[in-house]
Amino acid sequence: MKYRILKQSKTPFDKVHEECGVFGIAAPEGKEIAAAHEAYVALFALQHRGQEAAGIAVNNRGVIHCHKDVGLVSQVFNQQILDSMPGSMAVGHVRYSTTGKQSRENAQPIAITHVKGNLAVAHNGNLVNAGELRRRIELNGGIFRSSNDTEVLVYTIVNERLKCGSIEEAVKNTMSIIQGAYSLVVMSPRKLIAARDPHGFRPLCIGLLDDCYVFASETCALDALGATFVRDVEPGEVCVVENGKLRSMHCGVQCKSSACVFEYIYFARPDSIIDGASVELARQEAGKYLSIEHPVGADVVIGVPDSGIPAAIGYAKFSGIPYGVGLIKNRYIARTFIQPGQDKRERSVRLKLNALRTAVEGKRVIMVDDSIVRGTTCARLVKLLRDAGAAEVHMRISAPPFRHPCFFGTDIPERSQLLAHGRTVEEMREIIGVDSLGFLSLEAARKIAVGCHLGFCDACFSGEYPIPVPEQAEKNMFENEIPLGADKHAGGNQDKE
Ligand code: SF4
């Protein structure tokens, strides 16, 4: 088994990344819908959760057909492909890979045929005991086609399915075996299942599109479809949709909930509502607390587009300092941009963001951003503002400093690469080159998601992991290069459940 430490982020911009977004839809028996087309729309809305690969598996009267590839949703699918995927039940996935090359074999959903039928699974999160489970399966003759933990999950579900009477029972039993973060959608010939890990690390919600149940990582996908929000999937809950009816059970693993607080700070779309709390309002709330914890005299508050803007608005509202647009974002630069070498990163930041001279010249500027990872982008933004004539630049961060890795599905670099690792705030201020620097406190971060009834994980800031994590291994720890065959089809309908 090869353990590999995370590589440098593949983006020239100094951000952490979510790994995935999931979606599922099921029509009642006898009703025909174009499930693949609906999944396509939903995945478009979830694109911010992963831009490296996309896939949809559709169920056409018990036969599962899967199409997936590296690329954005718009690059992986076109009208012709979607039209060639009939079926009234579907699961979909967008992926951001944290290690290794962008590889098609790591794209999801994973569609397989097993001795009792067929199955397609899409997963958001990261299993902390995947390495151990994979080793156990391999010692029993299992052969893996990819390097991602979802395949371990699929193996485990199939293994459990052989011992019990239904696919939902197999999913439920699997939840006592796997540990870590997972929001799942599982499609069998007749059932659509959604499950959320007992800690509730990653979001997952339920909606209704006419009489079709849908599951999605975020409510913004329901809005894009025109679906009505029903409720969130609760931590530890297994939801089963069969013939248009929704039923639910608990997996039986009891623990304190620990939803990822960074979903509210950065990952999720601001128009999403997660576990009862508006993401936009949570960001504004973070800005409010920042203004209380780190006040400073200034002429204008600006936000780093996009996710720094709501916190900047919150800071401005509460402090009484006017909010202004000080940085303009080039909306056409994305993952398609040819990644420059390290020495060209400054130019790529200038391409993405530019300072608005008329808004900052001669002014004392408070610049609000959502997080600092390595600090390289911040330093370049500060230079942009100073070059545009800002008299003072004060930086406020709507999260506590990143000091620890995440094992639950977020691409946070190893400790030594983090600006905050082993440094005081004053040392960080000097490196970034700002007049003052202030981070949101942990206590405030725990209060921003007003209306959320769950507890929070804040381990990347506090080091307090809600579950034991492997000491030296980072996530996707078994990254190997395995030559693969095609996985376009998984047919058969032996499983009649
Ligand atoms: S460690 Fe950080 S990024 Fe990971 S789940 Fe916890 S709060 Fe979210």
Side-chain angles (χ1 to χ4, degrees), residues 193-318:
I193 296 164
R196 190 174 176 192
D197 69 74
H199 289 87
F201 283 105
R202 298 289 158 214
L204 191 60
C205 66
I206 311 171
L208 253 182
L209 181 64
D210 300 322
D211 50 357
C212 304
Y213 274 101
V214 297
F215 299 107
S217 289
E218 289 183 38
T219 58
C220 64
L222 306 186
D223 296 339
L225 288 169
T228 316
F229 172 76
V230 175
R231 64 177 177 84
D232 293 288
V233 176
E234 291 298 320
E237 188 179 9
V238 183
C239 296
V240 187
V241 178
E242 185 176 14
N243 193 20
K245 300 268 182 310
L246 174 74
R247 57 194 154 82
S248 136
M249 60 187 157
H250 195 272
C251 72
V253 179
Q254 301 294 346
C255 58
K256 209 169 145 271
S257 60
S258 44
C260 170
V261 76
F262 206 59
E263 291 277 353
Y264 293 99
I265 293 168
Y266 173 68
F267 290 141
R269 257 175 53 165
D271 50 336
S272 287
I273 295 177
I274 298 178
D275 294 312
S278 151
V279 173
E280 166 76 16
L281 294 183
R283 288 177 191 168
Q284 289 195 20
E285 197 72 1
K288 180 188 95 175
Y289 283 115
L290 263 181
S291 76
I292 297 168
E293 294 177 339
H294 302 288
V296 64
D299 304 305
V300 65
V301 185
I302 67 168
V304 179
D306 292 312
S307 45
I309 288 175
I313 291 170
Y315 194 111
K317 263 195 209 165
F318 205 79

Side-chain angles (χ1 to χ4, degrees), residues 35-37 39 43 54-69 76-93 104 108-113 117-121 187-189 486-493:
H37 291 74
L43 293 183
I56 295 172
V58 72
N59 180 342
N60 189 16
R61 294 184 173 83
V63 178
I64 293 176
H65 169 67
C66 183
H67 178 86
K68 58 187 180 182
D69 213 333
V76 174
F77 293 96
N78 57 34
Q79 191 70 45
Q80 202 185 351
I81 293 169
L82 290 171
D83 288 348
S84 73
M85 298 178 75
S88 295
M89 198 193 293
V91 292
H93 191 265
R104 191 175 158 271
Q108 294 187 37
I110 292 182
I112 54 125
T113 300
N118 52 11
L119 206 60
V121 178
M187 182 170 71
S188 77
D487 187 22
K488 287 251 182 195
H489 302 271
N493 59 351

Side-chain angles (χ1 to χ4, degrees), residues 17 35 39 92 111 119 139 145 153 200 238 262 269 297 349 375 402 455 474:
H17 294 272
L119 206 60
L139 287 172
R145 292 151 55 92
L153 181 62
V238 183
F262 206 59
R269 257 175 53 165
V349 170
F402 277 126
E474 303 286 347

Side-chain angles (χ1 to χ4, degrees), residues 121 127 156 294 353 428 458:
V121 178
L127 305 183
T156 311
H294 302 288
L353 291 165
M428 289 189 260
D458 49 31

